[in-house]
Amino acid sequence: MRIYKVGGAVRDRLLGKPVTDIDWVVVGATTEEMLAKGFRPVGADFPVFLHPKSGEEYALARTERKSGRGYGGFTFHASPEVTLEEDLIRRDLTINAMAEDDQQNLTDPYHGQRDLEARLLRHVSPAFAEDPLRVLRVARFAARYAALGFTVAPETLELMRQLSESGELEALTPERSWKEISRALMEDQPQVFVEVLRACGALKVLMPEVDALFGVPQPPAHHPEIDTGTHTLSVLQQAALHKQPLTVRWACLLHDLGKGLTPEEEWPRHIAHEFKGLKLIKAVNERFKVPRDCQELALLVGEYHTHGHRALELKPSTLLELLQSFDIYRRPQRFEEFIAACEMDARGRKGLEERSYPQADYLRGAATAARSVAVQPLLEKGFKGPELGEAIKRERLKALKAYKEAAST
Ligand code: ATP
Ligand code: MG
């Protein structure tokens, strides 16, 4: 049997990027031989094994044929006769279809090295169209390598467009899609992921609510960039620049969905877009079975981001309602993430990227003031049950009034 490094490990070494996980392909071996060497099988009928010591993935060289819709619709053929070239041709991009032996001899039948130099994300063969997940993967790689100057080859974008129009994207499971989406959002240029999906028509299929924001104007006084889609991409870019976590990035992507519902005659104003957007945010959340923390933050940011921007003008009672909605007493981290998303929203505007955002510290101070109300003295005064709740609220309101007064002098 012959063993080669493949995929990302080869690509990233040639790019001079750190290699984190290594995928291996094994040519000329049978399942029985792998088991005899102590490799552990990954799945029942999948020719992939884990190394007994390193835990890295070793896959028998295989060919694939599409036999139906979706991910399940593949038949694999793994046998000792399958060659390295045959295995490499089923891969998505030429830069991912190179292999290397233990002497660093490169096998590169589909010219991955040439495309690395040309900075092109190019599909290996027409079989690319057999797995719709590749549309998301290419967009993700575009986001990751945009800083190095990579773009999607025009003929690959064309294939991605055909795939998007074919209805195949709908066959993706929420889990597979979310895995790609979440990884893409954590790249340095997540906005490129959205741009590429939009350029090939996949955004309209996967997230029509985000796609609809392009071409929708906003008031130039607050939004010099005018276009709501452009704004959304800038907010996402700011979130990446500021190293925000996935929850914040997801909330940034969805915060203005309501603006896509505004009747044209109301443009460029978007009355109550915060509230109108909630059902759209919920729909996107559910479509991809998004993790609970991301779902929650996106809904809260959608509903309250303009409160964040107007923090200094809010009445103490409104401020208190905001803090209560976030349950800041038990969920301090979530409120911090809300503040971060608001700040990214404020900075994701043309020419305003460096603006200061005093609202952030003001909101933090308000949260501290509300939290500083002690319950013990109220208990000692004999408050119980709902009356205790009311008394705590009254004290918190008092604290917020004092806070606001102190802040404005
Ligand atoms: P990363 O740095 O994100 O791990 P990677 O290229 O190693 O990038 P993996 O998902 O680990 O990506 O997959 C390893 C290799 O398997 C890829 O480089 C590619 O050759 C192949 N591959 C993975 N998923 C697909 C797919 N859906 N279609 C075609 N080839 C794929
Ligand atoms: Mg990998």
Side-chain angles (χ1 to χ4, degrees):
M1 69 172 72
R2 292 177 311 282
I3 298 179
Y4 302 87
K5 258 184 212 174
V6 280
V10 181
R11 176 196 69 221
D12 288 337
R13 184 184 70 76
L14 292 171
L15 281 172
K17 288 232 157 199
V19 172
T20 44
D21 80 328
I22 304 183
D23 300 297
W24 304 87
V25 65
V26 184
V27 179
T30 61
T31 295
E32 292 69 34
E33 286 170 294
M34 295 301 281
L35 297 176
K37 283 185 182 289
F39 282 87
R40 299 189 304 272
V42 166
D45 29 48
F46 208 66
V48 178
F49 303 84
L50 298 180
H51 191 278
K53 291 217 182 71
S54 71
E56 286 169 347
E57 274 193 14
Y58 285 68
L60 293 186
R62 66 177 188 261
T63 58
E64 292 176 354
R65 250 199 11 257
K66 190 163 174 69
S67 55
R69 269 176 87 91
Y71 194 43
F74 267 105
T75 41
F76 302 102
H77 170 70
S79 88
E81 285 77 47
V82 175
T83 65
L84 183 56
E85 284 75 11
E86 283 172 329
D87 179 274
L88 293 175
I89 202 169
R90 69 175 172 80
R91 292 169 187 270
D92 48 5
L93 296 172
T94 60
I95 63 165
N96 290 342
M98 298 181 276
E100 193 175 84
D101 65 15
D102 56 3
Q103 309 291 315
Q104 288 196 353
N105 293 311
L106 202 64
T107 303
D108 181 18
Y110 311 111
H111 308 294
Q113 228 182 351
R114 192 175 68 196
D115 287 337
L116 272 186
E117 272 153 36
R119 302 299 198 228
L120 278 176
L121 304 172
R122 188 202 305 277
H123 64 283
V124 176
S125 86
F128 178 91
E130 294 183 351
D131 179 6
L133 190 77
R134 293 170 188 158
V135 173
L136 290 155
R137 281 178 59 91
V138 174
R140 173 164 68 80
F141 283 117
R144 185 189 296 178
Y145 296 119
L148 296 177
F150 277 84
T151 57
V152 181
E155 61 272 29
T156 302
L157 198 65
E158 184 49 39
L159 261 184
M160 290 162 69
R161 186 194 322 281
Q162 288 169 17
L163 255 170
S164 305
E165 281 166 7
S166 71
E168 279 282 312
L169 286 175
E170 282 97 325
L172 288 172
T173 62
E175 291 78 10
R176 283 187 95 205
S177 300
W178 175 251
K179 196 165 163 232
E180 290 300 324
I181 294 167
S182 55
R183 290 185 71 187
L185 288 176
M186 291 314 290
E187 296 291 353
D188 283 346
Q189 308 228 34
Q191 78 282 5
V192 174
F193 175 71
V194 182
E195 276 166 354
V196 169
L197 291 181
R198 178 164 177 254
C200 70
L203 190 62
K204 204 185 310 180
V205 179
L206 296 168
M207 298 188 215
E209 301 86 351
V210 176
D211 196 65
L213 300 178
F214 292 87
V216 174
Q218 307 164 102
H222 295 293
H223 285 280
E225 74 288 346
I226 298 179
D227 186 79
T228 310
T230 306
H231 163 59
T232 298
L233 295 183
S234 304
V235 178
L236 203 49
Q237 187 175 15
Q238 287 299 315
L241 277 171
H242 289 88
K243 306 277 181 230
Q244 298 295 347
L246 180 62
T247 44
V248 173
R249 296 184 191 204
W250 182 242
C252 285
L253 178 65
L254 304 187
H255 79 284
D256 265 347
L257 291 190
K259 290 182 178 173
L261 294 176
T262 310
E264 268 188 54
E265 53 278 15
E266 290 176 24
W267 286 357
R269 296 216 300 150
H270 298 280
I271 302 149
H273 75 274
E274 304 87 341
F275 180 72
K276 288 188 206 158
L278 291 179
K279 62 173 189 285
L280 302 185
I281 297 173
K282 192 158 172 271
V284 182
N285 274 338
E286 287 171 2
R287 187 173 314 140
F288 300 109
K289 295 195 183 152
V290 172
R292 184 140 303 279
D293 55 346
C294 290
Q295 291 210 19
E296 273 180 13
L297 189 72
L299 286 165
L300 285 164
V301 169
E303 185 164 4
Y304 294 110
H305 61 280
T306 40
H307 275 64
H309 300 328
R310 286 188 285 108
L312 279 77
E313 294 104 67
L314 295 180
K315 290 184 296 189
S317 58
T318 315
L319 204 47
L320 181 60
E321 277 166 35
L322 178 70
L323 299 175
Q324 305 284 67
S325 305
F326 277 84
D327 192 8
I328 58 155
Y329 317 98
R330 283 185 298 179
R331 306 283 301 273
Q333 184 58 31
R334 187 170 66 176
F335 192 59
E336 272 302 320
E337 292 179 353
F338 164 72
I339 295 172
C342 291
E343 183 166 352
M344 299 306 109
D345 177 23
R347 291 174 184 271
R349 306 177 189 209
K350 196 168 168 233
L352 298 172
E353 295 82 359
E354 308 288 327
R355 79 202 301 194
S356 65
Y357 195 69
Q359 290 92 328
D361 276 341
Y362 185 82
L363 287 168
R364 285 186 192 108
T368 306
R371 281 193 202 102
S372 69
V373 169
V375 179
Q376 193 57 33
L378 300 170
L379 286 171
E380 280 162 17
K381 280 188 190 153
F383 286 110
K384 279 201 286 277
E387 284 182 0
L388 177 65
E390 285 307 310
I392 295 173
K393 235 173 136 177
R394 262 196 318 275
E395 292 303 313
R396 285 175 178 159
L397 194 55
K398 245 195 258 171
L400 286 173
K401 278 184 184 149
Y403 173 72
K404 188 171 161 68
E405 259 163 47
S408 61
T409 53

